[in-house]
Amino acid sequence: MRDTGEYLFTSESVSEGHPDKVADRISDTVLDAFLAADPYSRVACETLVTTNRVVLAGETRGPESVTPELLCHLTRLAIKDIGYEQDGFHWQNADIACHLHSQSADIAQGVDSAGNKDEGAGDQGIMFGYACRETETLMPAPLYYAHEILRTIRDLRKAGDRSVHGLLPDAKSQVTLQYIDGKPVRATSVVVSTQHEAGMEQAEIKRLLWPLVEATLPKGWMCPEAEFHVNPTGQFVIGGPDGDCGLTGRKIIVDTYGGASPHGGGAFSGKDPTKVDRSAAYACRYLAKNVVASGLADRCTLQISYAIGVSRPLSVYVDLHGTGKDVDEAKLEKALRDAMNLSPRGIREHLKMNRPIYVPTSAYGHFGREPDDDKGTFTWERTDLVPALKAALGR
């Protein structure tokens, strides 16, 4: 985004009940089941959800105790936890088919470590990380508030709060902010589409959501009433996988930075951490966040690239967008390489990624979340590299 002038920027989010997020949740449920049984399992699980049907497909390598029957059972529990007990998609009644099979031997031999060969990347690819000072989480503000709106509705719905009575799991949000000289100053429009029980009127839902959204945004940021769009089609009764087919990995911009940063193209959910699509993207966020948290810059974009079967990254690139505090970007790139082993094994070990920690990432963003030391989640959101980076740059 530009650092000068006045402009509008928009990001969207989708709830855990959105069909694509239901698919992401199930894929990460499969992954966590394998990692709980064996931390070195290999998983690449894709999920399709539609009217009362779930299809699991992909490749795995792990203990025989993780059976198709177990995965189908865990899938039902995931659907139940999201809140689907509707005629068109019900956790008890949905038909679940498991078509997972063994990982390709050709991929395995490129990834596995053997003799003097270190573990290689699970695929080629480019990964990006980003951080900025727009919010306390060092995330872009439009995406942060789009997530917060839906997360608040979700929390109230699951708590049985009367303020959201009649609202159902499937929902989307979109927040447009006005920027002046690179800083967000207010919302110019907000869109919320939420599934609801039959009989609820559009105006009623808008009245319910106005105070919730206003309280989520910073004081004085709420958009004009005419620019607060709630269920613009007028009705949203048929939703979730019954209303739209869902697939794993179709919300990669929602998962990352809301369009404020480039994206390498790879999705995250359902992939074990030998897949650099996931682990290296997390490492990029970790490094970019530590750069901004250290005060070296106000914005940081980081890119890393890999080749399948090769352990070392082919490139590390840093862009501080002109916000660096007398920082030599080439020197910073070296400092980042020194601060963290960016091989697939090095990333997994540094961020402790071989654990069943991925279900919480499947909705409301993989970044900008609070690390939980007890559960081991979101380790890539820590800022523990700040002292090393400051020392390397002479601060």
Side-chain angles (χ1 to χ4, degrees):
M1 291 186 282
R2 300 192 297 268
D3 292 320
T4 59
E6 182 177 327
Y7 59 91
L8 304 180
F9 193 86
T10 304
S11 294
E12 71 160 343
S13 180
V14 297
S15 72
E16 65 193 78
H18 184 280
D20 295 331
K21 282 287 135 195
V22 174
D24 284 345
R25 168 68 178 270
I26 293 169
S27 289
D28 276 332
T29 296
V30 170
L31 171 60
D32 279 359
F34 273 97
L35 292 178
D38 178 357
Y40 298 100
S41 294
R42 300 284 171 79
V43 179
C45 176
E46 309 293 343
T47 302
L48 176 149
V49 294
T50 186
T51 302
N52 268 334
R53 185 175 297 273
V54 179
V55 179
L56 308 178
E59 302 79 45
T60 66
R61 190 174 76 191
E64 294 182 357
S65 60
V66 185
T67 62
E69 292 76 17
L70 173 62
L71 296 178
C72 290
H73 172 67
L74 294 175
T75 295
R76 293 191 190 280
L77 294 183
I79 296 168
K80 181 181 182 182
D81 184 63
I82 294 169
Y84 276 111
E85 296 185 342
Q86 301 170 16
D87 290 342
F89 197 68
H90 197 295
W91 67 274
Q92 286 181 312
N93 304 330
D95 178 72
I96 302 174
C98 182
H99 298 289
L100 294 164
H101 59 83
S102 297
Q103 183 188 49
S104 161
D106 290 346
I107 293 176
Q109 73 174 1
V111 175
D112 291 347
S113 57
N116 293 324
K117 176 185 176 296
D118 193 8
E119 178 183 292
D123 201 351
Q124 72 176 47
I126 55 174
M127 296 81 202
F128 287 91
Y130 182 73
C132 62
R133 293 200 176 278
E134 293 180 15
T135 62
E136 290 184 358
T137 60
L138 303 187
M139 287 289 287
L143 180 66
Y144 174 82
Y145 292 114
H147 283 325
E148 283 298 295
I149 289 167
L150 295 185
R151 191 159 30 212
T152 300
I153 295 172
R154 183 276 311 268
D155 291 346
L156 292 171
R157 178 176 60 82
K158 288 197 167 185
D161 194 289
R162 296 292 301 175
S163 66
V164 295
H165 179 71
L167 302 189
L168 299 174
D170 192 1
K172 302 177 74 172
S173 65
Q174 184 171 283
V175 174
T176 300
L177 298 184
Q178 179 185 23
Y179 282 74
I180 298 178
D181 293 333
K183 293 181 172 55
V185 296
R186 69 183 183 95
T188 59
S189 65
V190 175
V191 183
V192 182
S193 296
T194 177
Q195 186 187 17
H196 58 86
E197 294 177 354
M200 295 186 73
E201 298 292 333
Q202 182 186 31
E204 175 189 0
I205 298 170
K206 187 172 183 177
R207 284 194 300 273
L208 289 178
L209 294 182
W210 175 275
L212 183 154
V213 172
E214 185 176 34
T216 300
L217 295 171
K219 187 175 181 179
W221 277 35
M222 188 61 180
C223 64
E225 185 175 358
E227 295 300 324
F228 183 47
H229 305 285
V230 174
N231 288 2
T233 63
Q235 181 172 284
F236 187 1
V237 174
I238 300 173
D242 187 31
D244 191 13
C245 179
L247 295 170
T248 301
R250 288 207 298 195
K251 288 294 178 285
I252 58 176
I253 301 303
V254 171
D255 286 343
T256 53
Y257 306 103
S261 166
H263 192 294
F268 302 152
S269 289
K271 296 177 180 177
D272 75 77
T274 67
K275 280 71 169 175
V276 286
D277 273 348
R278 183 168 215 161
S279 57
Y282 288 5
C284 285
R285 162 63 180 175
Y286 175 60
L287 294 176
K289 184 175 183 180
N290 274 270
V291 168
V292 174
S294 68
L296 298 173
D298 292 333
R299 290 172 61 201
C300 177
T301 298
L302 188 82
Q303 185 208 59
I304 302 177
S305 67
Y306 291 88
I308 188 169
V310 179
S311 63
R312 62 176 177 82
L314 306 183
S315 65
V316 176
Y317 167 77
V318 174
D319 183 359
L320 301 181
H321 305 278
T323 69
K325 314 300 182 183
D326 297 319
V327 174
D328 182 324
E329 288 168 339
K331 188 174 181 180
L332 178 58
E333 288 166 4
K334 182 180 184 304
L336 293 171
R337 283 180 178 267
D338 292 341
M340 185 180 187
N341 179 349
L342 291 171
S343 70
R345 184 199 299 273
I347 293 171
R348 289 191 295 103
E349 292 179 351
H350 190 109
L351 297 178
K352 297 179 172 60
M353 298 182 72
N354 282 101
R355 296 180 290 178
I357 58 174
Y358 296 102
V359 163
T361 70
S362 62
Y364 311 112
H366 292 245
F367 308 130
R369 309 285 290 275
E370 189 69 28
D372 188 324
D373 292 336
D374 293 334
K375 297 179 180 178
T377 53
F378 300 101
T379 55
W380 48 94
E381 291 296 317
R382 298 178 310 193
T383 54
D384 52 336
L385 292 184
V386 166
L389 293 180
K390 284 184 173 180
L393 275 295
R395 302 304 169 90

